[in-house]
Short mmCIF file of all heavy atoms in Angstrom, two decimals:
data_model
loop_
_atom_site.label_atom_id
_atom_site.label_comp_id
_atom_site.label_asym_id
_atom_site.label_seq_id
_atom_site.Cartn_x
_atom_site.Cartn_y
_atom_site.Cartn_z
N LEU A 1 15.40 15.36 5.14
CA LEU A 1 14.22 15.44 5.95
C LEU A 1 14.01 14.18 6.76
O LEU A 1 14.32 13.08 6.30
CB LEU A 1 12.98 15.65 5.09
CG LEU A 1 12.69 17.07 4.64
CD1 LEU A 1 11.48 17.12 3.76
CD2 LEU A 1 12.48 17.98 5.87
N PHE A 2 13.48 14.35 7.96
CA PHE A 2 13.27 13.23 8.85
C PHE A 2 11.87 13.27 9.46
O PHE A 2 11.40 14.36 9.79
CB PHE A 2 14.32 13.26 9.98
CG PHE A 2 14.06 12.27 11.06
CD1 PHE A 2 14.58 11.00 10.95
CD2 PHE A 2 13.31 12.58 12.17
CE1 PHE A 2 14.38 10.05 11.97
CE2 PHE A 2 13.09 11.70 13.19
CZ PHE A 2 13.65 10.42 13.07
N ARG A 3 11.20 12.12 9.56
CA ARG A 3 9.99 12.02 10.35
C ARG A 3 10.11 10.73 11.15
O ARG A 3 10.28 9.66 10.60
CB ARG A 3 8.74 11.96 9.46
CG ARG A 3 8.49 13.27 8.75
CD ARG A 3 7.06 13.74 8.68
NE ARG A 3 6.16 12.91 7.94
CZ ARG A 3 4.93 12.61 8.33
NH1 ARG A 3 4.52 12.99 9.50
NH2 ARG A 3 4.13 11.95 7.60
N SER A 4 9.99 10.79 12.53
CA SER A 4 10.15 9.57 13.35
C SER A 4 8.80 8.88 13.52
O SER A 4 7.94 9.08 12.76
CB SER A 4 10.76 9.93 14.70
OG SER A 4 9.91 10.74 15.42
N SER A 5 8.49 7.96 14.27
CA SER A 5 7.19 7.28 14.52
C SER A 5 6.44 6.97 13.24
O SER A 5 6.26 7.81 12.40
CB SER A 5 6.32 8.12 15.43
OG SER A 5 5.02 7.67 15.43
N LEU A 6 6.01 5.79 13.07
CA LEU A 6 5.41 5.34 11.83
C LEU A 6 3.90 5.38 11.87
O LEU A 6 3.23 4.34 11.64
CB LEU A 6 5.91 3.94 11.49
CG LEU A 6 7.43 3.82 11.45
CD1 LEU A 6 7.81 2.41 11.06
CD2 LEU A 6 8.04 4.80 10.50
N GLN A 7 3.30 6.45 12.23
CA GLN A 7 1.85 6.52 12.34
C GLN A 7 1.21 7.35 11.25
O GLN A 7 1.35 8.56 11.23
CB GLN A 7 1.44 7.01 13.74
CG GLN A 7 1.92 6.11 14.84
CD GLN A 7 1.45 6.60 16.19
OE1 GLN A 7 0.83 7.62 16.30
NE2 GLN A 7 1.79 5.82 17.19
N ALA A 8 0.57 6.68 10.39
CA ALA A 8 -0.34 7.21 9.35
C ALA A 8 -0.18 8.62 8.92
O ALA A 8 -1.09 9.44 9.11
CB ALA A 8 -1.76 6.97 9.86
N PRO A 9 0.90 9.03 8.28
CA PRO A 9 0.90 10.30 7.57
C PRO A 9 0.13 10.17 6.29
O PRO A 9 -0.20 9.04 5.84
CB PRO A 9 2.39 10.55 7.33
CG PRO A 9 2.95 9.21 7.23
CD PRO A 9 2.16 8.34 8.14
N ARG A 10 -0.16 11.28 5.63
CA ARG A 10 -0.90 11.22 4.40
C ARG A 10 0.01 10.70 3.27
O ARG A 10 1.15 11.09 3.18
CB ARG A 10 -1.43 12.62 4.05
CG ARG A 10 -2.38 12.64 2.89
CD ARG A 10 -3.21 13.92 2.89
NE ARG A 10 -2.38 15.08 2.85
CZ ARG A 10 -2.51 16.13 3.71
NH1 ARG A 10 -3.42 16.09 4.65
NH2 ARG A 10 -1.74 17.17 3.60
N ILE A 11 -0.48 9.84 2.47
CA ILE A 11 0.22 9.37 1.26
C ILE A 11 -0.50 9.89 0.03
O ILE A 11 -1.55 9.37 -0.33
CB ILE A 11 0.31 7.81 1.26
CG1 ILE A 11 0.99 7.34 2.54
CG2 ILE A 11 1.04 7.32 0.04
CD1 ILE A 11 1.13 5.84 2.60
N ASP A 12 0.04 10.95 -0.55
CA ASP A 12 -0.59 11.64 -1.66
C ASP A 12 -2.00 12.03 -1.27
O ASP A 12 -2.21 12.75 -0.31
CB ASP A 12 -0.55 10.78 -2.92
CG ASP A 12 0.88 10.65 -3.44
OD1 ASP A 12 1.68 11.59 -3.29
OD2 ASP A 12 1.19 9.60 -4.00
N ALA A 13 -3.03 11.49 -1.91
CA ALA A 13 -4.40 11.95 -1.65
C ALA A 13 -5.07 11.16 -0.55
O ALA A 13 -6.17 11.48 -0.16
CB ALA A 13 -5.24 11.86 -2.93
N GLY A 14 -4.45 10.05 -0.08
CA GLY A 14 -5.16 9.18 0.86
C GLY A 14 -4.43 9.05 2.20
O GLY A 14 -3.44 9.73 2.44
N TRP A 15 -4.92 8.17 3.01
CA TRP A 15 -4.30 7.92 4.30
C TRP A 15 -3.92 6.46 4.40
O TRP A 15 -4.66 5.58 3.88
CB TRP A 15 -5.23 8.29 5.45
CG TRP A 15 -5.35 9.73 5.65
CD1 TRP A 15 -6.16 10.63 4.97
CD2 TRP A 15 -4.65 10.51 6.58
NE1 TRP A 15 -5.96 11.89 5.42
CE2 TRP A 15 -5.07 11.88 6.43
CE3 TRP A 15 -3.68 10.22 7.54
CZ2 TRP A 15 -4.57 12.90 7.19
CZ3 TRP A 15 -3.18 11.28 8.33
CH2 TRP A 15 -3.65 12.58 8.14
N SER A 16 -2.84 6.16 5.05
CA SER A 16 -2.43 4.77 5.21
C SER A 16 -2.60 4.36 6.68
O SER A 16 -2.23 5.12 7.58
CB SER A 16 -0.95 4.61 4.86
OG SER A 16 -0.48 3.35 5.20
N PRO A 17 -3.17 3.20 6.97
CA PRO A 17 -3.35 2.77 8.34
C PRO A 17 -2.02 2.50 9.02
O PRO A 17 -1.91 2.54 10.25
CB PRO A 17 -4.21 1.53 8.25
CG PRO A 17 -3.93 1.01 6.87
CD PRO A 17 -3.71 2.23 6.02
N ALA A 18 -0.99 2.13 8.28
CA ALA A 18 0.30 1.84 8.85
C ALA A 18 1.34 1.95 7.73
O ALA A 18 1.07 1.64 6.57
CB ALA A 18 0.32 0.46 9.45
N LEU A 19 2.54 2.34 8.13
CA LEU A 19 3.65 2.40 7.15
C LEU A 19 4.70 1.39 7.56
O LEU A 19 5.02 1.23 8.75
CB LEU A 19 4.22 3.81 7.12
CG LEU A 19 3.36 4.86 6.43
CD1 LEU A 19 3.93 6.22 6.68
CD2 LEU A 19 3.32 4.57 4.93
N ARG A 20 5.27 0.73 6.57
CA ARG A 20 6.30 -0.29 6.83
C ARG A 20 7.62 0.14 6.17
O ARG A 20 7.59 0.97 5.24
CB ARG A 20 5.85 -1.60 6.27
CG ARG A 20 4.58 -2.18 6.93
CD ARG A 20 4.09 -3.39 6.20
NE ARG A 20 3.72 -3.08 4.81
CZ ARG A 20 3.31 -3.97 3.93
NH1 ARG A 20 3.26 -5.26 4.29
NH2 ARG A 20 2.99 -3.63 2.70
N PRO A 21 8.75 -0.39 6.63
CA PRO A 21 9.99 -0.07 5.96
C PRO A 21 9.90 -0.34 4.46
O PRO A 21 9.41 -1.35 4.01
CB PRO A 21 10.97 -1.02 6.63
CG PRO A 21 10.44 -1.23 7.99
CD PRO A 21 8.94 -1.22 7.81
N GLY A 22 10.32 0.62 3.69
CA GLY A 22 10.26 0.56 2.24
C GLY A 22 9.11 1.37 1.65
O GLY A 22 9.14 1.70 0.50
N ASP A 23 8.11 1.69 2.49
CA ASP A 23 7.01 2.51 2.02
C ASP A 23 7.44 3.96 1.80
O ASP A 23 8.31 4.47 2.53
CB ASP A 23 5.84 2.53 3.00
CG ASP A 23 5.11 1.19 3.07
OD1 ASP A 23 5.31 0.35 2.15
OD2 ASP A 23 4.36 0.99 4.06
N SER A 24 6.86 4.62 0.80
CA SER A 24 7.14 6.02 0.55
C SER A 24 5.84 6.82 0.59
O SER A 24 4.75 6.25 0.34
CB SER A 24 7.79 6.21 -0.82
OG SER A 24 9.08 5.64 -0.84
N PHE A 25 5.94 8.09 0.94
CA PHE A 25 4.76 8.96 1.03
C PHE A 25 5.20 10.41 0.90
O PHE A 25 6.39 10.73 0.97
CB PHE A 25 4.08 8.74 2.39
CG PHE A 25 4.86 9.19 3.57
CD1 PHE A 25 4.78 10.49 4.04
CD2 PHE A 25 5.77 8.33 4.19
CE1 PHE A 25 5.56 10.93 5.10
CE2 PHE A 25 6.53 8.76 5.26
CZ PHE A 25 6.42 10.06 5.72
N ARG A 26 4.24 11.25 0.72
CA ARG A 26 4.44 12.69 0.80
C ARG A 26 3.21 13.32 1.45
O ARG A 26 2.11 12.84 1.29
CB ARG A 26 4.77 13.30 -0.57
CG ARG A 26 3.67 13.25 -1.59
CD ARG A 26 4.02 14.14 -2.78
NE ARG A 26 4.88 13.46 -3.72
CZ ARG A 26 5.65 14.11 -4.59
NH1 ARG A 26 5.70 15.41 -4.66
NH2 ARG A 26 6.38 13.44 -5.47
N ASP A 27 3.42 14.46 2.14
CA ASP A 27 2.33 15.10 2.86
C ASP A 27 1.56 16.10 2.07
O ASP A 27 0.54 16.61 2.47
CB ASP A 27 2.89 15.76 4.12
CG ASP A 27 3.20 14.75 5.22
OD1 ASP A 27 2.41 13.81 5.37
OD2 ASP A 27 4.22 14.90 5.92
N CYS A 28 2.04 16.48 0.87
CA CYS A 28 1.31 17.38 -0.03
C CYS A 28 1.91 17.24 -1.41
O CYS A 28 2.94 16.57 -1.60
CB CYS A 28 1.41 18.84 0.47
SG CYS A 28 3.10 19.54 0.34
N ALA A 29 1.27 17.81 -2.41
CA ALA A 29 1.69 17.62 -3.79
C ALA A 29 3.14 18.10 -4.02
O ALA A 29 3.84 17.50 -4.81
CB ALA A 29 0.74 18.38 -4.73
N ASP A 30 3.55 19.17 -3.35
CA ASP A 30 4.89 19.70 -3.58
C ASP A 30 5.84 19.34 -2.44
O ASP A 30 6.96 19.82 -2.40
CB ASP A 30 4.82 21.23 -3.65
CG ASP A 30 4.12 21.68 -4.95
OD1 ASP A 30 4.22 20.94 -5.92
OD2 ASP A 30 3.51 22.79 -4.94
#
């Protein structure tokens, strides 16, 4: 899977103002 541009996707239950290299996230529980 790929997502380009580093603008605030959802990280589990919250939102991140910015993502940096090394950060991990998911858009939903599954």
Side-chain angles (χ1 to χ4, degrees):
L1 277 178
F2 172 88
R3 293 221 294 138
S4 64
S5 168
L6 306 182
Q7 297 183 357
R10 190 161 58 231
I11 301 181
D12 292 327
W15 285 83
S16 170
L19 287 169
R20 298 172 298 177
D23 289 345
S24 294
F25 66 90
R26 66 169 81 202
D27 283 321
C28 67
D30 291 331

